[in-house]
Amino acid sequence: MPGFDEPIFHWPTLHALALYAARLTAAGVLGALLGIQRERVHSAAGLRTHILVCLGGAVFVLAAIGSPDPAAVSRVIQGIVAGIGFLGAGTILKIGERAEVHGLTTAASVWVTAAVGVSAGLGRLWLAGISALVGWLVLGPLADIEKRRFPGPPPPRS
């Protein structure tokens, strides 16, 4: 059977261990960057959730990278993209009988955070960093501009 000819446990080389640690650390830090902003607005998915989503994406990719099956990484990424949708859906709430939905931005931020983690896991730290920075700009400064420029409808009269 494939995989049974490998030793039960083996240490990676020091070089590989350092690379994996760097990728996981980058994922945690970049996930925190996005999570801090969500924490600032008291989102359902805050700092720890974003760190864990980003770290999880990186861990899954790193685990698949060592597979002898060249398509393994692709399948893992597909699974992350599909699976993260369920987590994101959990942050979306329909309030009352009105057509008022909350949490779409948080769900999108969880999705982007998973993509940042996958990028970090693949070793594309430049892509992970730029993506996290753009995500942070959208969630922070752009949200502030949006609130000032498009304040929304006035509250309903009683």
Side-chain angles (χ1 to χ4, degrees):
M1 276 190 144
F4 283 104
D5 56 345
E6 296 178 16
I8 293 175
F9 180 80
H10 68 279
W11 281 101
T13 65
L14 199 52
H15 181 259
L17 190 61
L19 284 175
Y20 281 27
R23 292 177 186 185
L24 291 172
T25 301
V29 169
L30 294 172
L33 175 71
L34 295 167
I36 286 171
Q37 196 291 320
R38 295 282 71 200
E39 200 70 48
R40 186 181 72 118
V41 295
H42 307 292
S43 170
L47 177 64
R48 293 181 304 152
T49 302
H50 281 75
I51 292 171
L52 290 173
V53 165
C54 205
L55 190 60
V59 169
F60 280 125
V61 168
L62 286 171
I65 283 175
S67 170
D69 180 5
V73 175
S74 175
R75 284 195 304 274
V76 165
I77 292 171
Q78 291 170 20
I80 292 168
V81 171
I84 206 67
F86 288 102
L87 183 61
T91 66
I92 300 171
L93 302 171
K94 181 179 180 300
I95 307 298
E97 295 298 317
R98 300 177 295 172
E100 190 175 343
V101 177
H102 291 279
L104 291 174
T105 302
T106 297
S109 74
V110 167
W111 189 60
V112 168
T113 301
V116 169
V118 167
S119 298
L122 288 170
R124 294 182 173 84
L125 300 183
W126 60 270
L127 179 60
I130 292 170
S131 300
L133 178 62
V134 171
W136 180 83
L137 289 170
V138 168
L139 292 170
L142 186 59
D144 296 338
I145 292 168
E146 180 184 37
K147 286 177 189 169
R148 283 195 303 274
R149 181 74 173 98
F150 307 104
R157 291 185 171 173
S158 300

